Amino acid sequence: MGAGSPPAEDTSRNRTASAGTPSRAAPPPRGRASARRALAVIGWTALSAVLPGAAHLRAGWRRTGFALLGVYAVLVAGAVAVALTADADLLGRALEWLGTISIAAIVIALAWFALIVHSYVVLRPGELRAGGQIVTGVVAGALSVATAVPFTLAARYADVSRRAIADVFDTPTAASQAAPEDPWAGRDRINILLLGGDWQENRQGVRTDSINLASVDLRTGNTVVFGLPRNLENVRFPPGSPMHRRFPDGFRLPPNPDGSREDLLFAVWEYADRHPEIFGGRTGMGPEALKDAVGHTLGLKVDWYVLVNIWGFARIIDAIGGLTLTVEQDVVFGKYNEGLVKAGTRRLKGADAMWYARSRTNSDDFTRMRRQRCVLNALLEQADPATVLARFTQLAEATRGMFRTDIPRPMLKHLVPVAAKVKDARVTGLQFVPPLIHTGYPDWDKIRRLTRKAIADSVRDASPAASRPPQASGKNSGGKTDRNTAPDDADRARPTALGAGCGSPGTAGADRR
């Protein structure tokens, strides 16, 4: 051993000491370095919220990071494909998957929340100083919640929609069988009876104060809304029907002691519900009796009805924040004329809008029909998708218990695309009111003839020739009129835009397209 060599035991001791001494962690960065490290943690965590896997790649978790990026790319590609091909048919079919959509949205919300938390953890925030850990932890928590909120809202909207649909459509009806793949069976139109009435749990039957029938062209969405007065007398029923056997010469009952009558069109539903013996003991036949009466009056087959509680309708108007209406003159209402809807253009709450539509004071049924049509048109115009989405929960809650219908639930997926067409199509209206008809002695043939003509005009308007200016009709024109219709009647019977004469801002007298 050379003189300059260290003793062997010293070398061994030094190696042993070095091997047995645990390595110390690097001290937390200080000052600007600490701030930069905290910002880096926040930045990579935030990037992971929109690009999953970024933080894992930065932290060296390469396999996990690339796996997350791959899954994310597939999901984005699928979402883009759906967005590019989505249409009203897809929306209709989605109504059948609302429960699944709600569960899937919750799962995605939880997964995204966990992803942000894990992205933050792999960046080793524990190496930061205490202040940096608190700041980055708060930011990461906020990001986790923020990314989960949209999916949570989607789950809530889907569940609310599912329950709302179940409340309205999950009623036992004879038509509640599964709809065929071709639900229209070659037909080019459907006819839906739109009713407004009021009902109470302690009262049998429904009085339908608003009676309209929407005849919809399935190809174009062009729609004609036929309005029938509530006080139409001597209503007829299809031959062979139970109500026709009871009233072969028309719906006629003895007058009340005060001279008022209960045998008008609005009372058909209530009368049928009160007399199940007419239908062989079957109860709840009011809707079918009214569908028969309206269909026979217009010469059309009524497919389904939709009944809305008139006063519940006010809740819908309140849920969208009110309606902007032009009130032509003061409308007085109330048992003692204590209420007033003042003339002018302004935003009305639900109750005021309904009083405007329904008040009989200093008015008649035909003026009320026009005002009801104005309220309906304003609702169609002003309930835009953005408003509906922003107030979705309030609207769903407002509609609970206020609709009745016999539309089978399986038909919804087919009706949604039709409704989308109607939204952008031409909607006209024909009101069978004096002087066009006499409500006490209606000319049934004339009503059916004018109905056929209005539908034919609506179909013709959808053709390429409809872009040409319409020919004038009436006594001062050279155009032809129906040979059984006087010129004045032809003018009065011309279908008009649903909002014509309403004075609603931006829609008065114009077609709703």
Side-chain angles (χ1 to χ4, degrees):
M1 181 180 299
S5 299
E9 63 272 21
D10 292 340
T11 302
S12 176
R13 190 186 308 115
N14 291 339
R15 280 201 306 268
T16 303
S18 176
T21 303
S23 59
R24 295 182 179 179
R30 298 176 178 272
R32 292 183 178 179
S34 177
R36 285 196 300 269
R37 178 66 193 281
L39 288 175
V41 170
I42 292 173
W44 284 103
T45 304
L47 182 60
S48 294
V50 295
L51 195 63
H56 291 76
L57 290 174
R58 177 68 178 84
W61 293 50
R62 297 176 60 82
R63 297 173 68 176
T64 303
F66 282 123
L68 289 171
L69 282 173
V71 172
Y72 182 65
V74 171
L75 292 176
V76 169
V80 170
V82 170
L84 292 177
T85 59
D87 54 14
D89 289 302
L90 179 62
L91 178 60
R93 292 193 296 272
L95 294 178
E96 299 181 332
W97 312 329
L98 290 174
T100 303
I101 291 172
S102 180
I103 294 172
I106 290 294
V107 170
I108 294 174
L110 293 174
W112 221 276
F113 183 93
L115 170 68
I116 302 303
V117 171
H118 196 259
S119 298
Y120 172 69
V121 170
V122 300
L123 292 169
R124 300 188 299 276
E127 297 179 358
L128 297 172
R129 299 183 70 84
Q133 293 181 33
I134 293 173
V135 172
T136 57
V138 169
V139 173
L143 282 171
S144 302
V145 173
T147 54
V149 163
F151 299 104
T152 304
L153 288 177
R156 174 169 173 75
Y157 286 175
D159 186 60
V160 169
S161 300
R162 180 188 60 79
R163 287 188 284 110
I165 290 173
D167 286 343
V168 176
F169 292 94
D170 279 356
T171 52
T173 63
S176 61
Q177 302 171 359
E181 286 304 313
D182 180 14
W184 316 125
R187 298 174 55 195
D188 56 2
R189 304 191 73 84
I190 56 171
N191 303 301
I192 301 178
L193 186 58
L194 307 175
L195 304 170
D198 52 1
W199 67 84
Q200 300 172 5
E201 296 299 329
N202 60 353
R203 191 180 72 194
Q204 187 178 15
V206 176
R207 292 199 171 194
T208 50
D209 282 345
S210 176
I211 305 168
N212 295 274
L213 183 132
S215 182
V216 184
D217 188 315
L218 292 171
R219 181 177 60 87
T220 65
N222 279 7
T223 301
V224 185
V225 179
F226 299 100
L228 291 173
R230 65 190 294 278
N231 61 341
L232 198 64
E233 298 185 36
N234 297 305
V235 177
R236 308 300 175 92
F237 301 94
S241 66
M243 288 290 280
H244 180 266
R245 289 193 291 269
R246 172 63 67 92
F247 302 102
D249 299 319
F251 188 45
R252 200 71 176 173
L253 298 171
N256 295 325
D258 61 358
S260 62
R261 307 202 64 91
E262 297 290 336
D263 51 8
L264 309 178
L265 180 59
F266 77 89
V268 168
W269 181 318
E270 185 176 40
Y271 183 87
D273 275 355
R274 289 180 178 272
H275 295 275
E277 71 278 2
I278 298 176
F279 307 93
R282 288 177 295 168
T283 59
M285 296 302 293
E288 291 302 317
L290 186 57
K291 285 166 60 179
D292 283 347
V294 172
H296 190 62
T297 298
L298 298 174
L300 299 173
K301 176 185 180 298
V302 180
D303 295 289
W304 305 292
Y305 80 91
V306 177
L307 171 67
V308 58
N309 190 311
I310 290 291
W311 289 113
F313 208 75
R315 302 201 305 266
I316 292 182
I317 295 175
D318 285 333
I320 66 169
L323 284 182
T324 300
L325 290 167
T326 296
V327 180
E328 302 84 355
Q329 60 185 27
D330 290 352
V331 176
V332 178
F333 64 86
K335 185 176 182 180
Y336 303 103
N337 297 338
E338 69 277 11
L340 176 66
V341 180
K342 292 185 177 180
T345 300
R346 64 184 179 282
R347 201 160 190 83
L348 298 181
K349 294 181 179 180
D352 286 339
M354 285 297 94
W355 278 120
Y356 166 73
R358 299 200 72 202
S359 176
R360 290 191 178 91
T361 306
N362 303 325
S363 183
D364 55 35
D365 283 335
F366 315 117
T367 302
R368 292 171 69 233
M369 287 175 65
R370 180 186 61 79
R371 295 200 303 254
Q372 289 167 7
R373 192 175 74 249
C374 291
V375 171
L376 176 61
N377 181 73
L379 184 62
L380 291 173
E381 292 286 348
Q382 297 173 37
D384 57 275
T387 300
V388 172
L389 184 61
R391 300 173 178 271
F392 186 83
T393 303
Q394 299 96 311
L395 276 168
E397 186 63 30
T399 59
R400 294 191 65 181
M402 64 171 294
F403 286 104
R404 295 185 186 180
T405 185
D406 62 349
I407 298 176
R409 181 166 179 172
M411 286 300 300
L412 283 181
K413 65 180 180 182
H414 303 291
L415 288 172
V416 168
V418 176
K421 290 180 182 179
V422 173
K423 180 68 176 176
D424 298 320
R426 186 168 185 263
V427 180
T428 55
L430 179 56
Q431 303 295 307
F432 288 106
V433 297
L436 183 60
I437 67 165
H438 192 296
T439 58
Y441 303 95
D443 185 337
W444 307 112
D445 289 335
K446 178 181 178 181
I447 292 174
R448 296 185 187 108
R449 186 171 62 247
L450 295 178
T451 298
R452 291 193 301 270
K453 184 177 184 300
I455 291 176
D457 289 344
S458 178
V459 173
R460 186 167 57 249
D461 287 342
S463 67
S467 59
R468 297 195 298 268
Q471 297 294 321
S473 64
K475 59 183 178 182
N476 295 323
S477 75
K480 294 182 179 181
T481 62
D482 192 295
R483 61 188 180 89
N484 293 318
T485 306
D488 285 346
D489 285 344
D491 287 335
R492 288 192 292 266
R494 181 182 295 278
T496 60
L498 193 62
C502 296
S504 298
T507 63
D511 284 347
R512 195 184 70 74
R513 293 184 182 273

